[in-house]
Amino acid sequence: MATGFPEREALLTRADLLPLLRAAGPDLDALYRRADDTRRRFCGDAVPVRAIIEFSNACFNDCLYCGIRASNPAPERYRMSPDDILAAVRSIAAAGTAGTVVLQSGETPGLHDDELTAVLRRIKAEFPDLAITCSVGNRPPEVYAQWREAGMDRFLLRFETSDPELFARLHPGSTLAERLDCLRSLRALGVQTGGGFMIGLPGETVDILADNILLCREFDFDMIGIGPFIPSPGTPLAHEPNAYAGDPEMVFRALAVLRLANPDAHIPATTAFDALRPDGRNLALQRGANVFMPNATPRGLRRHYQLYPGKPCIDEDASDCALCSRARLRSLGRPLASGPGHSLKQSRLS
Ligand code: SAM
C-alpha cells in the first residue's frame, strides 16, 4: 500500500485536502494509486452496473448550466409512457448486466409523481430483485415516502456545489438549503441516498471544490455522483469555460481525493468523464470510481437528453451499451458484480 497519504480520519478540513487537490508529477501518480487501492480495499474489484433510463426531458427548472433547462427551446421534449419504461426495464433485465435500473428525468414537481409511483410498483412486481434508483429532483418528503413505499431503493440528488451563493446564482428560485433538506429527508426515510457535485462550475474555486468533498464526507452518502461541468449550447453558460480548463487532471484529482475521504461510498464513472476524453470513464474506474452506469434510454430519445455536448453513446441502444459495458470491464480486468449492488454501509440497509 502507498504511504504518505492521510487516512480518511485525517481528511477533515479544507487545509487537509488542498495539498492533495494540487498534487502534480510523482505525487499525482501516487494519489491515483492510493485512490485505486482504497477503492479495491473497501469496494472490491467487481463493478456494479446501473442502467440509466432518461425517461423524460421535461423540466420546469432553469439551471444555468443544463441543456434541458426550461427556457432552452432546442430539445424536442419527450416523456416515455409507463409501458415504454417497462419495456426498457425488460430489455435491461434480459441483458442481465445491470442489477439496478436508474430512472432519471428533468424536474416537473407534482405533475407526474403518481405516475412514477405506479411505474415503481410495476417494476418491483415484475422484477423484485432489480434495485431501483430515482433521480428526478427536489420533492417534498411525502412524495419521497410514497415512492419509497412503492419500491424505490435509492435516490440520486447532486447538491451541485457546496457554496450557497454560487448555488443560488446557478439555480433561479432555489437554494442549497432546500436541496440539502431533500437529501436529509431521503436519508430519514431509509432511502439509500446519493449526493454529489459538478467539478469546475464557472465561479468555483479550489476551496469550494475541497468543501464539496467535505460536504459529501459529512453526509456520509451511500453514493456520490460527480463529473466535470461541460459548457452546453443554448444555456447562459454556453461560453463559460470549465473553471479548470487549463488543468485537465483536476477532475481526476478531485475524484481520487473524494475516494480517499469516502472510502466505502459507491462512486460511478459518470458519462461526463467520457465527454472530457474518450477513455475518461476507464480512467475514472482506475482512479477511485467503482460503479459503471451505461445508458439504457431508447436510441431515438437519447439525442433529446443532451445535458451537455459530446455525451457518449447517443447513437446506440441498450443492448449495445450492455455489451460495451462488459467489454470495457473485461479490458480493465474488472469483473461484473452480481446482485443489486446496494449500499456498502451495512448499517443503512434495512
Ligand atoms: N432533474 C434531476 C436533478 O436535477 O437531480 C436529474 C436530472 S439532472 C439533468 C442530472 C445532472 O446533470 C445534474 O445533477 C447535473 O449535475 C448534471 N448536468 C446538467 N448539466 C450539466 C453540464 N452542462 N455539465 C455537466 N453536468 C451537467
Side-chain angles (χ1 to χ4, degrees), residues 8 213 216-217 220 224 257-265 267:
R8 177 185 190 269
I213 295 172
C216 290
R217 187 190 189 287
D220 196 21
I224 306 172
V257 177
L258 182 76
R259 169 56 73 198
L260 298 190
N262 299 272
D264 60 353
I267 302 180

Side-chain angles (χ1 to χ4, degrees), residues 59 65-68 104-107 135-137 156-158 160 179 197-198 227-232 272 305 307-308:
C59 194
Y65 45 79
C66 186
I68 62 167
Q104 192 181 84
S105 71
E107 219 171 295
S135 172
V136 299
L156 292 176
L157 184 66
R158 291 184 181 179
E160 316 292 2
R179 183 71 58 105
F197 53 90
M198 269 179 279
F229 157 71
I230 298 166
S232 188
Y305 201 87
L307 309 178
Y308 45 79

